Amino acid sequence: MNIDPIISLAFAMQTNKGAYALLVGSGLSRAAQIPTGWEIVLDLIGRLATLENEECEPDRIAWYRRKYNDEPDYARLIQELAKSPEERHHLLKAYFEPNADEREQGVKLPTSAHRAIADLVARGYVRAIITTNFDRLLERAIEDAGITPAVLSTADSIEGSLPMVHQRCVVVKVHGDYLDTRIRNTPDELARYDERVDRLLDRILDEFGLLVCGWSADWDTALCAAFDRCKSRRFTLYWTCRGEVGENARRLVQGRSGNVIKIDDADRFFAQLLERVISLEDIKQLHPLSAATAAATVKRLISDSHHRVRLYDLIKDETEAAFSRISDLIKGAITRQGGDDKILSVFDCYPGALATMRELMVHGCYWAQQEHYGVFTKCVPRIARDPQRNVGGYKIAQWVRAAPGVILLYAGGVAALAARNYGMFAHLMQESICRDDGKEGPFVIVYPWDQLHRFAQTIPGVNHRFAADSKWLFDLLREPLRPLLVGDDEYELVFDRFEYLRSLVYVDLAARKRGDDEVRDAYNAPVGLFRWRERYDGRREPTIGTDISDEVEERGDNWEPLKAGLFGGTTSRFKQVQSRYEQSLSKRQFI
């Protein structure tokens, strides 16, 4: 079983609260446009050359060596350019503190990564942070989260600090703070630490698990040596990287049997980590199952408009993951010539491949507000259109490839109706635009429902010759929708309402696609379990159609589906559609 390493890390942090420390480097602050110590040295050399009226390009370091017969030193450069403490403060402040324009642009301010780390600290998951950065963005983010960290940037401050067990959060700045000219920057300075710093690092690396982000291990000899001294393996080492890990980093990871996590950037990684930790916290699960955390995650992100981008990333990432799983299944040579047994094997695997995506659709479409509609609507056509049209020279039938889209359409649509969220339902029905096999239009009119119906009659356990496809979906979605529709009678009623409205939307959209101003027929419209129940189950009185007709008569154009944009927003169009559909139902023969 291949579990997403971020989920494994989240599980480790959530179940071992406070047992993981962070080691963060310049990669964490890069998005805030904070310069590294070496970049500051290069800039200071440029300023010094200007004062000397000399040209230092293209190699500023070589110019400095020729000019002063010495290696560039951060502290000496600052002292040359700013003589008094106040002047040095203002000089350095320009590198690390935002001016008015930068503040307006969001530059040199705590990033999403800093904020997510601060949230982990505030929740008690992180108590110790080692950083090679000079800036104070991390400390500020933690303070904004309501915690005052103990900042240890010199050997003297370490010696005078309280034991870590008595601290909510300790930030160890092994290279110093930007306002202290004693910061470590050159290779010689990074080769060894004061013994008091070494003792503190030894304790952290021995007692805590470690998450590394934004640190390459290429230059910090003394910090690498601390890894080499630590022989304990109490907790796992997680090392994040954007590309391939370097030679030094690989050696350190292997030395502690660590795990490498590939990430896009620090902001997105820490946002995802925080979401998963909180989701595990919310649902109190003992295992990091993505499907189990999905409901808690999507509800939390929808509830706060500030998380709109995080919600989009979550849905997009899981849609692509589900798409990949479905594609792999279809590559299993499912062909028209393969027989029902092969197709059945794939249909058996579809629910598992869609487990997490299904949870996101159920709870997302239930709680979605207008700003979220498009996020969930895009999922159905993406999952429905698989590039594996042909395998081994055989064409894969569209209804086989797109069946996962039906599962998501039903999951989201039934959930939306359970919440009477007609805006989400209307958007899902009308805006799930698919382009496949020469067809284009909303998924509800592009998908070949009749083919799914015929195949579903062969699914073991369904045994429902009148509405086999509906029975299959009804059974498949009962448990995922149980948190929203607890009673079986309630679930049955909402499910039937979905299928009836789905069929009416089909009739309306199909007529519009043909360019018909009037609805002329509805014979090919899908039916559903509601029709079987009305004919053979004496409990179904009045019918779904009668219930809906009564609602329209009572509310007119204020009926919620019309206000949401269905049926052109008019009762006249709705009545025309429903009349044609009911006429077609009366002529259907169930055989």
Side-chain angles (χ1 to χ4, degrees), residues 176-338:
D177 184 89
Y178 80 87
L179 288 180
D180 188 335
T181 58
R182 294 172 294 176
I183 67 171
R184 297 175 179 274
N185 189 63
T186 66
D188 286 343
E189 292 166 344
L190 300 176
R192 63 190 61 82
Y193 295 147
D194 185 286
E195 63 178 13
R196 290 167 290 184
V197 177
D198 280 336
R199 284 199 299 269
L200 179 61
L201 292 176
D202 290 346
R203 181 177 176 186
I204 293 174
L205 295 180
D206 176 63
E207 297 177 359
F208 291 83
L210 196 64
L211 167 60
V212 179
C213 184
W215 182 60
S216 68
D218 288 338
W219 309 104
D220 305 314
T221 306
L223 191 49
C224 290
F227 275 78
D228 293 332
R229 292 194 301 271
C230 180
K231 304 303 180 184
S232 67
R233 302 290 186 274
R234 291 186 177 89
F235 300 99
T236 305
L237 166 68
Y238 291 89
W239 194 296
T240 67
C241 62
R242 296 183 62 180
E244 297 298 323
V245 294
E247 183 178 346
N248 283 343
R250 187 181 303 109
R251 180 181 64 81
L252 297 181
V253 171
Q254 292 174 347
R256 295 192 60 161
S257 301
N259 293 327
V260 174
I261 302 177
K262 296 294 183 67
I263 66 173
D264 295 325
D265 55 62
D267 283 351
R268 189 171 183 182
F269 165 72
F270 277 108
Q272 291 176 335
L273 176 61
L274 175 63
E275 289 162 10
R276 284 158 175 77
V277 169
I278 296 174
S279 295
L280 288 168
E281 180 183 82
D282 287 346
I283 63 176
K284 305 299 182 184
Q285 289 285 337
L286 294 178
H287 299 287
L289 303 177
S290 295
T293 64
T297 301
V298 75
K299 285 188 289 186
R300 186 179 66 258
L301 297 184
I302 283 177
S303 67
D304 189 338
S305 61
H306 292 95
H307 293 328
R308 186 166 49 192
V309 174
R310 293 188 187 183
L311 176 67
Y312 172 83
D313 287 341
L314 171 69
I315 302 301
K316 179 178 179 295
D317 289 348
E318 182 50 39
T319 301
E320 292 305 312
F323 178 85
S324 178
R325 291 190 289 268
I326 295 299
S327 296
D328 289 342
L329 290 174
I330 291 173
K331 289 177 184 177
I334 306 304
T335 68
R336 289 177 177 173
Q337 290 80 1

Side-chain angles (χ1 to χ4, degrees), residues 280-506:
L280 288 168
E281 180 183 82
D282 287 346
I283 63 176
K284 305 299 182 184
Q285 289 285 337
L286 294 178
H287 299 287
L289 303 177
S290 295
T293 64
T297 301
V298 75
K299 285 188 289 186
R300 186 179 66 258
L301 297 184
I302 283 177
S303 67
D304 189 338
S305 61
H306 292 95
H307 293 328
R308 186 166 49 192
V309 174
R310 293 188 187 183
L311 176 67
Y312 172 83
D313 287 341
L314 171 69
I315 302 301
K316 179 178 179 295
D317 289 348
E318 182 50 39
T319 301
E320 292 305 312
F323 178 85
S324 178
R325 291 190 289 268
I326 295 299
S327 296
D328 289 342
L329 290 174
I330 291 173
K331 289 177 184 177
I334 306 304
T335 68
R336 289 177 177 173
Q337 290 80 1
D340 286 348
D341 56 338
K342 285 190 175 182
I343 299 176
L344 278 170
S345 68
V346 170
F347 268 65
D348 286 342
C349 296
Y350 278 164
L354 290 169
T356 301
M357 193 66 243
R358 184 191 61 211
E359 292 294 314
L360 293 175
M361 286 294 289
V362 165
H363 295 276
C365 292
Y366 185 91
W367 294 106
Q369 300 172 28
Q370 185 173 359
E371 62 185 285
H372 308 122
Y373 294 166
V375 176
F376 297 101
T377 298
K378 292 176 182 177
C379 300
V380 172
R382 176 56 175 156
I383 292 295
R385 185 185 180 190
D386 194 287
Q388 297 298 322
R389 291 185 175 85
N390 297 278
V391 173
Y394 297 110
K395 182 178 180 180
I396 307 301
Q398 181 198 15
W399 66 272
V400 176
R401 291 186 284 109
V406 174
I407 297 174
L408 296 188
L409 184 79
Y410 267 66
V414 175
L417 291 188
R420 300 192 70 82
N421 189 347
Y422 286 103
M424 181 70 252
F425 175 78
H427 207 278
L428 193 62
M429 291 295 108
Q430 297 182 132
E431 303 301 328
S432 296
I433 305 300
C434 296
R435 299 173 181 85
D436 199 8
D437 280 0
K439 303 175 183 178
E440 179 175 344
F443 179 79
V444 69
I445 65 172
V446 170
Y447 187 75
W449 299 98
D450 57 332
Q451 295 179 29
L452 177 63
H453 169 71
R454 287 195 295 271
F455 170 73
Q457 293 175 330
T458 69
I459 297 177
V462 174
N463 299 326
H464 200 295
R465 61 194 182 98
F466 295 140
D469 52 337
S470 297
K471 185 63 166 62
W472 174 62
L473 290 161
F474 180 85
D475 294 342
L476 183 66
L477 295 173
R478 179 63 191 109
E479 290 309 312
L481 283 157
R482 190 175 294 279
L484 307 180
L485 295 165
V486 178
D488 290 341
D489 289 345
E490 181 186 19
Y491 172 63
E492 179 182 297
L493 188 62
V494 176
F495 186 91
D496 287 354
R497 186 181 181 88
F498 165 80
E499 289 203 307
Y500 187 85
L501 287 175
R502 177 275 317 254
S503 299
L504 295 185
V505 171
Y506 174 99

